[in-house]
Amino acid sequence: MKKVVLTAALIIGLMIVMLAVSCKSGPKDMDERYKNLYDANTGLDLTGAGTYTVKEGDTLSDISRHAYNDGFYYPIIMLASRGVVINPDKIRPGMTLTIPDLERNKANAASRRSMKNCLNGFASIEKTKQNPNQGLINGFRKHADEL
């Protein structure tokens, strides 16, 4: 009987630990990390920015690829669309995104700094995920270094 009680206690304890770990970097925490990143980087020039309304099946990297011929710039679209979309995994049809003029922002020192910080921030956030995508991390860092 003691073995059954001890085994049950051990199983319950492990389940509590697993739940705590999975909640630690859960969706709310990720949303907060992205929000803090956007709040810290407000220097984009939105002069001449376009808009795009998300359709069923769209991904931010697809939208970025269409707008900039490069899927790694989607954090810049999110930065320009603050208040509309916080987490890249939570876009929905009907959202209207702001598509900043990338070249205009690359030519502006303050905008370039915000974009660089944003891309590096996305790399850092990706690194903390349970299954980080090293390709994304490297891509964001490479693009930030090129700014």
Side-chain angles (χ1 to χ4, degrees):
M1 183 70 171
K2 280 185 178 180
K3 285 184 179 181
V4 171
V5 171
L6 286 174
T7 302
L10 180 62
I11 290 171
I12 291 170
L14 285 173
M15 289 174 64
I16 290 170
V17 169
M18 287 172 41
L19 179 62
V21 169
S22 69
C23 289
K24 184 178 178 185
S25 62
K28 252 187 189 168
D29 186 41
M30 281 297 156
D31 288 356
E32 194 63 30
R33 289 179 190 193
Y34 288 117
K35 184 182 178 312
N36 291 340
L37 181 61
Y38 304 142
D39 289 348
N41 295 290
T42 58
L44 281 186
D45 181 351
L46 298 179
T47 305
T51 60
Y52 178 81
T53 303
V54 177
K55 295 171 185 53
E56 187 70 37
D58 279 343
T59 66
L60 284 168
S61 58
D62 289 340
I63 295 166
S64 176
R65 230 180 327 276
H66 179 74
Y68 306 130
N69 293 319
D70 192 320
F72 282 102
Y73 284 116
Y74 74 80
I76 308 310
I77 295 171
M78 291 181 63
L79 182 59
S81 302
R82 88 170 96 260
V84 176
V85 60
I86 294 174
N87 187 322
D89 298 324
K90 296 182 179 179
I91 66 166
R92 294 179 316 278
M95 288 179 158
T96 301
L97 306 178
T98 301
I99 312 294
D101 181 326
L102 189 61
E103 294 309 313
R104 180 182 194 93
N105 280 281
K106 283 182 177 181
N108 177 300
S111 297
R112 201 169 46 252
R113 190 170 33 260
S114 284
M115 291 191 308
K116 184 175 186 137
N117 290 341
C118 185
L119 290 167
N120 280 323
F122 263 70
S124 295
I125 290 170
E126 182 64 30
K127 194 173 180 181
T128 66
K129 290 183 178 178
Q130 189 171 3
N131 295 307
N133 181 326
Q134 195 61 46
L136 274 180
I137 295 167
N138 294 341
F140 289 142
R141 289 198 174 135
K142 176 181 177 269
H143 282 68
D145 289 346
E146 292 172 352
L147 291 173

